[in-house]
Each structure stands twice: as C-alpha cells, then as structure tokens.
Amino acid sequence: MYHSISDDRSNLSVSVNNFERQIQYLYTSGFKTIQFNSIDEKIKKPLIITFDDGYKDNLINALPILKKYNFTSICFVVSDLIGKSNIWDKNNSNYVYKELLSKNDIKVCLDNGMFIGSHGKSHRSLIELNTDEIIREIKISKTVLENIIGNKIDCFSYPFGSVTKLSANLVNKSYHFAVSTMRSRFDTNKHKNYFIPRVHMSNNLNRFKLFMKIKTFYEDIKYNEKQLHM
Ligand SMILES: [Zn+2]
C-alpha cells in the first residue's frame, strides 16, 4: 500500500528514489504483479501494488518506474475530487497540498498499466455516515469512474481504512474486492475479499525491513486506523 510518491517529505509520501529501490527489490525478489480477480489463483509470488487517494504524482513519479520493471498497479481515486486536491486533509497540522489525477490523467494511467478503483465519492469516513450516505459514496463513485474509464470498477478502498460491518456489507454489494488498512499479507483462507489487508510501504525501509515486509506473513498489528490517517 502506497499513497503519494514524492520528494515533498509529507508523511504520506515515499520519495521517488526510495520507491524505485523498493520496486527494484520486489522485482529482483521474483514478484509478479497480478490483478484482484486473480487473487485466489495459485500464482508464485503474486503482488498487487496499490495507491490510495489518486495523487497526480502516482502518474508522474510512480508510473515510469513501474513500467520500467513491467509492474501493473491499481490506483484508488476519489470521484468528487478528480482534477482537484487533497482537501480532506486540509485541517491537519502536517497538511501538504497535493494535486489529484484529472480525468485525462486517469486515462493515461489506464493506457500504461495502472488500473483504477474507487476510494469513495468524497473521502469521508464511512463509519461517520448513515446508510443512505454510505450507499451514495459507494455507488456514485463507482458510476462516475465507470463513465470515465468506460469499463467496470470492481475494487474499493475504504477511506481512512474505516470500516463497519454495515459499510463492508454495502461495499460488498457493489464491488467484488475491497482493501482495508489492516496490516497483513493476504491469505485466501483467512481474509474476506471485501476486507483485504495490505502491507504498508513507508519511506524509510532499509533492506532488512523490506525483507521482513515480504517474508513475514502476518503482522496483524492492532492500531487506531483513524490516527494513522490513511
Ligand atoms: Zn485516502
């Protein structure tokens, strides 16, 4: 799980050099990128690279590196904020302005092996909304994005990683797959397709930490997802 790939030193960013180092490590370790619809298949060293929020730097900084190593990825976009900025973070003390992908950027991403998923309509936390509002976040974002890409949107990323049983059930009615911010590697027998855990990729990962991220199966660290602000 990545967010922004940038040298802006924001706490959501992995620097361009560190990103390339990590991708190169994954490449030389023999990982192969797959799509969510192959998640249950028996593939050797499968990998799904995800980006939350739809930052423009995913296209400018991450995509050329991913192409270099022949990796695909998926970017989770906020449908109301296409071509705008990360306003949901504006009141944070450590806020850094970041531009988001435009409609045209999304098309360029698609043409270059980056798939698109929904990160909701407005990046509101689903646990703070009533049923009707949750349904709007889930369904309107799906329709808007499907109209842009001219194809099905099948994957959802819970804004802030916040999930309740109700929101997970509603997401499950519209999408085949949904990713959380729970820290773990995916295990078909253990995890549901509408609550897929992810491995957090941070800026400062030395080779040992990278090795551990890949080799350790379950981290299952309990933490307050809202505080982490993913
Ligand atoms: Zn987000």
Side-chain angles (χ1 to χ4, degrees), residues 3 6 8 10 13 25 40 47 53 61 64 122-123 137 141 149 153 157 161 168 182 188 192 197 202 207 216 226:
H3 285 78
S6 164
D8 65 8
S10 135
S13 297
Y25 186 86
D40 295 327
L47 170 69
D53 301 335
N61 296 330
S122 60
H123 206 290
E137 287 288 326
S141 62
I149 73 164
I153 295 279
S157 169
M182 184 177 82
T188 316
K192 302 269 187 257
S202 50
R207 285 188 81 81
T216 313
K226 287 196 79 181

Side-chain angles (χ1 to χ4, degrees), residues 3 52-53 55 78 88 119 123 158-160 230:
H3 285 78
D52 275 8
D53 301 335
Y55 296 110
V78 183
W88 65 87
H119 197 33
H123 206 290
Y158 300 98
F160 303 106
M230 293 301 182

Side-chain angles (χ1 to χ4, degrees), residues 53-213:
D53 301 335
Y55 296 110
K56 204 182 185 80
D57 61 49
N58 294 170
L59 165 65
I60 294 166
N61 296 330
L63 201 56
I65 294 168
L66 293 167
K67 281 192 83 175
K68 189 170 155 185
Y69 296 94
N70 219 8
F71 277 170
T72 61
S73 60
I74 179 162
C75 184
F76 292 100
V77 172
V78 183
S79 68
D80 271 1
L81 300 176
I82 291 166
K84 297 180 181 163
S85 68
N86 55 337
I87 46 166
W88 65 87
D89 267 342
K90 220 162 57 183
N91 295 328
N92 280 359
S93 54
N94 49 11
Y95 171 67
V96 177
Y97 171 90
K98 285 176 179 291
E99 226 180 308
L100 300 174
L101 296 167
S102 68
K103 270 189 196 176
N104 193 54
D105 293 335
I106 289 174
K107 288 177 184 158
V108 177
C109 286
L110 282 170
D111 289 344
N112 288 280
M114 188 179 268
F115 297 90
I116 299 296
S118 166
H119 197 33
K121 179 179 166 309
S122 60
H123 206 290
R124 289 163 80 195
S125 164
L126 298 186
I127 61 174
E128 290 163 5
L129 305 178
N130 65 38
T131 306
D132 285 349
E133 289 171 320
I134 297 171
I135 291 172
R136 279 167 58 81
E137 287 288 326
I138 292 168
K139 289 199 167 171
I140 294 177
S141 62
K142 183 177 165 80
T143 309
V144 168
L145 293 170
E146 285 180 346
N147 284 337
I148 293 173
I149 73 164
N151 213 335
K152 282 264 165 272
I153 295 279
D154 219 11
C155 310
F156 187 86
S157 169
Y158 300 98
F160 303 106
S162 323
V163 199
T164 55
K165 235 186 183 151
L166 170 69
S167 53
N169 283 335
L170 293 170
V171 164
N172 196 26
K173 283 183 184 160
S174 295
Y175 299 84
H176 279 118
F177 305 97
V179 293
S180 68
T181 53
M182 184 177 82
R183 290 173 187 241
S184 172
R185 286 176 48 149
F186 180 76
D187 179 334
T188 316
N189 301 318
K190 192 178 168 191
H191 302 114
K192 302 269 187 257
N193 278 358
Y194 59 83
F195 197 70
I196 297 170
R198 288 184 286 178
V199 176
H200 293 220
M201 299 298 277
S202 50
N203 188 40
N204 292 313
L205 293 176
N206 58 33
R207 285 188 81 81
F208 177 69
K209 279 188 184 166
L210 262 172
F211 174 81
M212 291 301 286
K213 290 252 179 212

Side-chain angles (χ1 to χ4, degrees), residues 28-39:
T28 53
S29 302
F31 282 87
K32 297 269 184 298
T33 48
I34 61 161
Q35 290 184 55
F36 277 101
N37 54 19
S38 308
I39 204 165

